[in-house]
Amino acid sequence: MAKITLSDLKHSYYDTPKGPDDYALKEIDLEWSDGGAYALLGPSGCGKSTLLNIISGLLTPSNGKILFDDKDVTHLPPNQRNIAQVFQFPVIYDTMTLFDNLAFPLRNRGVDETTVNTRVMAIAEMLEVTDMMGKKAAGLSPDNKQKISMGRGLVRDDVNVVMFDEPLTVIDPHLKWKLRSKLKELHQKVRATMIYVTHDQTEALTFADQVVVMQEGEVVQIGTPVELFERPAHTFVGHFIGSPGMNVLPCEVRDGGAFFENTLITLEGEIEQGTGTPQIGVRPEFVTLGDHGLPAVVHKVSDVGRHAVVEAKVGHETVKAIIEGEAPLQGAATHLSFDPNKTRLYRDGWIATRASQ
Amino acid sequence: MKTQNQKAWFFVLPVLLLVAFNALIPMMTVVNYSVQETFGNNVFFWHGLGWFEDLLNSERFHAALGRQILFTTIILLIEIPLGIIIALSMPRQGFWVPVCLVLMALPMLIPWNVVGAMWNIFALPDIGLLGYLMNTTLGVDYDMTQDPFAAWATIITMDVWHWTSLVVLLSYAGLVSIPDAYYQAAKIDGASSWSVFRYIQLPKMKQVLTIAILLRFMDSFNIYTEVFVMTGGGPGNSTTFLSIDLVKIALGQFDLGPAAAMSLIYFAITLLVSWLFYTLMTKDEGK
């Protein structure tokens, strides 16, 4: 178990990167404390797998350092870093029994058979696969295969960090939540530092204590699931997390206020000085329909069961709102109001209002 | 409701005809010859299983079968491990991949009688590059036409040169289909390169290797052209393998009955071994 520090990390797949666009990772400074559950969240191609491979040692970064506790491991190969990784597609040694699969990382390190036996059986019990231990791994179902690959990561008690690279991609939806909660449970039991890479917000938010949101090789926000939801630091986070994502509306800033469709919008706090394209961000959860506010026309209503998502047109702009209870009819005229505490101004994507507290 | 449609038979008919004309009818002709005796003029007499009994008790057949088994065993023992080793050391990506693949495929593209002729000339002691170098520069007494050991060595080398590529290409296909994650996981699990081979590469190559061994067994067990061109079965009878002996009996001595009996036994052995091997290798799949 260890604290992980990434300092000034950059990586390019080109030998001689010319500009910032040639970098898959643009400058990452992070610190992850021992025993935490972290998620790296971002769309495909945002650099999260690159970052993971750098931490595991499968890739050497072009620039910067990785420290486990205070030891520099930047140039150490994976087998000397004491890490474990679970891959997107379950990696199973087909010709071995499940027991031998789980014992493999221990035996390779010369652990004595009695210890191997106790460790393997303990992990098998946690994963609830004890009754299958004598079976050949070849015929397993995908979810059991993935359980075993997780088990191989957890079986060693000397691991600094266990990493998961989109481990639930090939699992059937109805088994996903089962494995997800199993994983959360395992984290509580073994208390290893865990990093979970995914593009699925539900997986990230349910697994992690802290989520690192990445976009185009950059970290855009680090925070607890609640923080990411309540106060996105970047329009990308607002848009990427939440269903539907945050409304991002063009606006004008004048006289210290923000105007959307020529109406002054009350924000959470003072606007910070700066330049860049201003936009207003407000989540659909904090938009209400009523008798006063911005005049709008209901354009589309989608009932998703628990609530309805209403798309309303204000001028040419579409604003989404989540409505509990009865939804208005399509084409009806209405008025929108934004919860001032949850409405913010963004400049070039980054938050530009002071927090209300 | 179940509907019966007999039209489907018409779609099978062409294949049935094709198989009948190129396999079943010729095969039945052979069966026909194998149980009869003829003194020419298209007059045949019933001979029962006489030819089969004679053949199974004939020392000549035992000797040819023995040579055949020895030859096939040797080339399998060389070509399979060698093919795997070459496939493992070939690059998996980059500029050299197509170069290696083409170089590997070249020997297989050469017609078999040309391969035989090439190696024949190559090995001649007075003018062949190999034969001349061996005798003059290296001072080894090497003459394929006189010395059975030299003849065997040359034929085996020729076969290895000609056919190891097949094993290489099949193994390579098996190797490149292994996802990178397997190697990464093995690295993280601290596996040695032997473990990687034993638990990842070999199991993933099992199916293609089964095919490779099967093909190499059938081809080498039926080898004819190259040996016929190179040594004609000599010196003496030392390289007279089953197919060469068969042709000698059938076309040299024109003993149709014994030749037909031998063909059927030959065919039965090849079929039996292939079937046994394939069944054993694939028996735990699907479990």
Side-chain angles (χ1 to χ4, degrees):
Chain A
M1 323 274 144
K3 180 182 83 179
I4 297 167
T5 315
L6 308 177
S7 91
D8 195 21
L9 207 66
K10 286 182 196 171
H11 187 71
S12 171
Y13 287 104
Y14 299 97
D15 290 337
T16 47
K18 286 178 192 80
D21 285 349
D22 284 354
Y23 280 92
L25 288 181
K26 276 175 194 141
E27 190 162 336
I28 308 270
D29 281 288
L30 274 177
E31 199 161 290
W32 281 325
S33 58
D34 185 12
Y38 298 97
L40 278 176
L41 177 66
S44 305
C46 72
K48 54 195 194 308
S49 292
T50 308
L51 185 56
L52 198 69
N53 288 340
I54 286 174
I55 299 171
S56 66
L58 297 167
L59 270 179
T60 308
S62 322
N63 190 38
K65 278 193 293 193
I66 309 137
L67 309 176
F68 284 2
D69 287 330
D70 291 313
K71 190 175 164 229
D72 188 344
V73 296
T74 317
H75 298 283
L76 284 185
N79 53 350
Q80 286 174 32
R81 290 193 185 191
N82 280 341
I83 42 117
Q85 189 165 352
V86 177
F87 295 88
Q88 190 168 2
F89 296 96
V91 174
I92 283 287
Y93 304 108
D94 282 340
T95 51
M96 296 187 200
T97 61
L98 294 198
F99 185 94
D100 291 339
N101 258 284
L102 290 179
F104 194 59
L106 295 176
R107 286 180 179 154
N108 284 331
R109 286 174 175 77
V111 176
D112 66 284
E113 266 320 286
T114 21
T115 319
V116 168
N117 211 30
T118 38
R119 287 295 300 168
V120 169
M121 290 323 280
I123 289 295
E125 201 151 310
M126 282 187 212
L127 295 169
E128 295 163 18
V129 289
T130 329
D131 51 327
M132 296 189 271
M133 291 317 275
K135 269 196 194 168
K136 277 259 157 46
L140 283 183
S141 60
D143 59 308
N144 279 329
K145 280 190 179 173
Q146 197 57 294
K147 267 193 191 173
I148 298 300
S149 7
M150 284 180 189
R152 274 209 325 277
L154 299 168
V155 76
R156 289 158 49 202
D157 50 8
D158 60 342
V159 283
N160 286 320
V161 54
V162 187
M163 290 178 290
F164 299 89
D165 190 357
E166 312 205 7
L168 301 180
T169 313
V170 293
I171 310 297
D172 281 348
H174 69 284
L175 290 168
K176 265 187 187 172
W177 73 266
K178 243 177 137 181
L179 272 181
R180 210 158 57 207
S181 43
K182 186 97 245 169
L183 200 59
K184 188 85 194 163
E185 192 189 315
L186 284 172
H187 177 253
Q188 265 136 24
K189 275 190 192 154
V190 299
R191 281 280 147 209
T193 314
M194 290 187 179
I195 302 174
Y196 191 106
V197 164
T198 181
H199 59 245
D200 181 330
Q201 49 167 314
T202 327
E203 283 177 26
L205 300 179
T206 49
F207 172 77
D209 309 331
Q210 273 221 316
V211 179
V212 177
V213 185
M214 291 183 68
Q215 184 207 16
E216 289 174 3
E218 274 180 302
V219 172
V220 286
Q221 191 172 5
I222 304 172
T224 63
V226 175
E227 283 166 358
L228 297 182
F229 186 80
E230 294 274 325
R231 195 163 189 271
H234 192 277
T235 49
F236 173 76
V237 179
H239 192 76
F240 195 68
I241 293 174
S243 173
M246 183 170 74
N247 292 301
V248 179
L249 310 164
C251 69
E252 265 180 278
V253 177
R254 56 175 190 259
D255 318 327
F259 291 82
F260 169 54
E261 296 285 325
N262 284 321
T263 311
L264 178 69
I265 304 291
T266 322
L267 303 171
E268 62 168 355
E270 249 177 82
I271 298 173
E272 283 169 6
Q273 293 300 317
T275 51
T277 320
Q279 283 168 313
I280 285 172
V282 59
R283 288 198 176 276
E285 284 81 354
F286 306 123
V287 178
T288 41
L289 271 60
D291 299 330
H292 40 80
L294 281 164
V297 178
V298 176
H299 177 63
K300 197 165 136 193
V301 179
S302 345
D303 196 332
V304 294
R306 269 174 305 143
H307 53 244
V309 178
V310 175
E311 284 179 31
K313 286 264 186 202
V314 180
H316 291 295
E317 296 302 322
T318 305
V319 180
K320 288 182 178 146
I322 287 181
I323 304 296
E324 311 268 345
E326 207 172 321
L329 290 173
Q330 205 170 316
T334 183
H335 294 268
L336 303 178
S337 48
F338 301 160
D339 179 349
N341 285 325
K342 311 287 185 194
T343 309
R344 285 141 199 136
L345 185 82
Y346 292 85
R347 272 208 177 99
D348 276 348
W350 296 96
I351 195 159
T353 39
R354 292 217 177 89
S356 44
Q357 294 88 326
Chain B
M1 232 203 34
K2 213 170 160 187
T3 49
Q4 295 272 336
N5 186 347
Q6 302 291 345
K7 275 182 203 151
W9 291 107
F10 288 102
F11 295 101
V12 188
L13 202 63
V15 178
L16 218 63
L17 282 173
L18 199 72
V19 172
F21 276 100
N22 72 21
L24 290 178
I25 295 174
M27 180 92 175
M28 288 322 289
T29 322
V30 175
V31 172
N32 192 26
Y33 284 144
S34 74
V35 290
Q36 301 191 71
E37 167 74 294
T38 178
F39 301 103
N41 295 333
N42 236 5
V43 185
F44 287 91
F45 304 91
W46 177 251
H47 193 52
L49 294 177
W51 295 130
F52 290 93
E53 279 166 28
D54 289 355
L55 189 82
L56 291 174
N57 292 320
S58 114
E59 266 177 40
R60 178 175 167 180
F61 177 71
H62 293 167
L65 182 62
R67 283 190 287 268
Q68 187 67 69
I69 293 171
L70 183 66
F71 174 74
T72 296
T73 313
I74 291 175
I75 67 105
L76 282 180
L77 286 179
I78 298 174
E79 287 174 16
I80 301 297
L82 185 65
I84 295 175
I85 291 170
I86 296 176
L88 284 174
S89 45
M90 268 166 65
R92 305 276 155 77
Q93 52 197 356
F95 171 77
W96 291 104
V97 172
V99 178
C100 284
L101 289 178
V102 170
L103 281 179
M104 276 295 145
L106 271 182
M108 293 195 293
L109 300 175
I110 302 172
W112 298 2
N113 54 350
V114 177
V115 171
M118 264 168 60
W119 279 80
N120 190 16
I121 297 166
F122 189 45
L124 283 179
D126 38 4
I127 57 161
L129 188 61
L130 174 71
Y132 184 80
L133 279 178
M134 291 280 269
N135 282 292
T136 51
T137 317
L138 296 175
V140 185
D141 186 17
Y142 166 83
D143 186 353
M144 188 177 74
T145 57
Q146 303 292 324
D147 175 16
F149 182 78
W152 270 76
T154 316
I155 291 176
I156 287 166
T157 316
M158 179 278 303
D159 199 83
V160 168
W161 174 84
H162 196 181
W163 287 115
T164 305
S165 307
L166 181 76
V167 184
V168 173
L169 294 182
L170 283 169
S171 305
Y172 187 75
L175 281 177
V176 292
S177 73
I178 302 175
D180 269 349
Y182 277 82
Y183 294 111
Q184 296 174 341
K187 246 192 224 174
I188 287 164
D189 287 340
S192 62
S193 35
W194 166 250
S195 296
V196 170
F197 176 71
R198 168 71 186 76
Y199 297 113
I200 296 174
Q201 292 170 324
L202 201 57
K204 295 279 171 195
M205 281 194 290
K206 191 185 150 194
Q207 285 185 330
V208 283
L209 277 180
T210 306
I211 302 293
I213 294 173
L214 208 61
L215 287 176
R216 283 317 299 131
F217 164 75
M218 291 191 297
D219 267 357
S220 67
F221 207 73
N222 297 337
I223 189 168
Y224 177 74
T225 318
E226 299 99 314
V227 181
F228 176 74
V229 177
M230 282 167 74
T231 66
N237 273 333
S238 60
T239 57
T240 303
F241 299 127
L242 281 178
S243 60
I244 297 206
D245 206 23
L246 179 62
V247 173
K248 277 184 187 167
I249 297 172
L251 302 176
Q253 302 159 220
F254 224 74
D255 285 332
L256 287 185
M262 185 172 169
S263 306
L264 290 178
I265 291 174
Y266 194 177
F267 175 59
I269 295 173
T270 317
L271 199 65
L272 184 73
V273 173
S274 304
W275 176 77
L276 271 179
F277 176 75
Y278 190 77
T279 316
L280 286 177
M281 287 307 283
T282 53
K283 79 171 182 331
D284 7 276
E285 266 156 45
K287 260 189 206 167

